[in-house]
Amino acid sequence: GHREVVSCLLEAGADVRIKDYRKRNALITAAACGHAEVARLLLAASKAKRAFVKTLDMDERSALWYAVFEGHADVCEVLVMEGDADFRQLRGLKLTPLQIARAEGHEACIELFQVSSSSSSAPHDEFEPSTNPYRGSCAALRGEPIQCKGGGDGGRGPAPRG
């Protein structure tokens, strides 16, 4: 499916930096839709991997933000391990991907971040669910959804135009 199509497009010279009307690139869309293998292909095709991973859409959300928000731990793993995405970096919404994972209850993402954490300067209780002041704080962050083909949109259906 998606992996083969993206592979074909990349072989034909498609530019991975192209963005849609909401400034979302292909990596952001793959992350939001839960396509880990597509994200891996896109990262491999990017000449500036770190900058590509850090790209923000018009709502100041990164590929990692979308992957975490939707609970796609496999995509988070690709972005963090292969793309060097920073799960502690604040974005315009003033929540880190780690805080979003905690607020949304995405334990697999939290575990991944905990395993990949190599910083000894992080507070010990940063990963503890009992210290979660963010529970339920992401409900207001649900913006215009990304339309995913093949049921990856969580049943939300087409994205509204506006």
Side-chain angles (χ1 to χ4, degrees):
H2 296 95
R3 186 183 192 289
E4 292 77 17
V5 171
V6 170
S7 182
C8 182
L9 289 169
L10 292 173
E11 287 174 17
D15 185 350
V16 297
R17 297 169 301 164
I18 300 231
K19 299 177 182 178
D20 69 9
Y21 71 103
R22 296 194 54 85
K23 297 186 179 180
R24 294 172 178 153
N25 63 20
L27 184 62
I28 289 173
T29 302
C33 295
H35 299 301
E37 287 303 313
V38 170
R40 184 172 281 119
L41 280 173
L42 293 167
L43 283 172
S46 174
K47 290 179 176 71
K49 193 178 294 190
R50 184 82 171 125
F52 188 48
V53 168
K54 292 173 102 177
T55 299
L56 303 178
D57 68 5
M58 67 186 281
D59 296 316
E60 297 186 25
R61 298 172 183 173
S62 66
L64 184 60
W65 190 98
Y66 281 102
V68 170
F69 192 76
E70 297 296 339
H72 300 306
D74 54 342
V75 178
C76 291
E77 183 174 7
V78 169
L79 296 172
V80 170
M81 301 303 210
E82 297 176 32
D84 198 28
D86 185 356
F87 60 86
R88 289 192 179 100
Q89 186 171 6
L90 285 173
R91 297 291 185 209
L93 299 168
K94 305 301 181 216
L95 289 175
T96 66
L98 174 58
Q99 292 165 335
I100 292 166
R102 291 175 67 201
E104 292 295 303
H106 297 308
E107 297 301 321
C109 295
I110 296 167
E111 289 173 22
L112 166 71
F113 297 155
Q114 189 171 15
V115 167
S116 66
S117 176
S118 60
S119 171
S120 59
S121 64
H124 179 66
D125 66 349
E126 183 176 26
F127 295 102
E128 298 298 321
S130 61
T131 61
N132 184 358
Y134 308 104
R135 175 70 61 197
S137 63
C138 291
L141 301 181
R142 296 190 190 280
E144 180 177 340
I146 293 178
Q147 183 177 359
C148 302
K149 302 292 182 193
D153 64 354
R156 290 186 300 262
R161 298 283 177 199

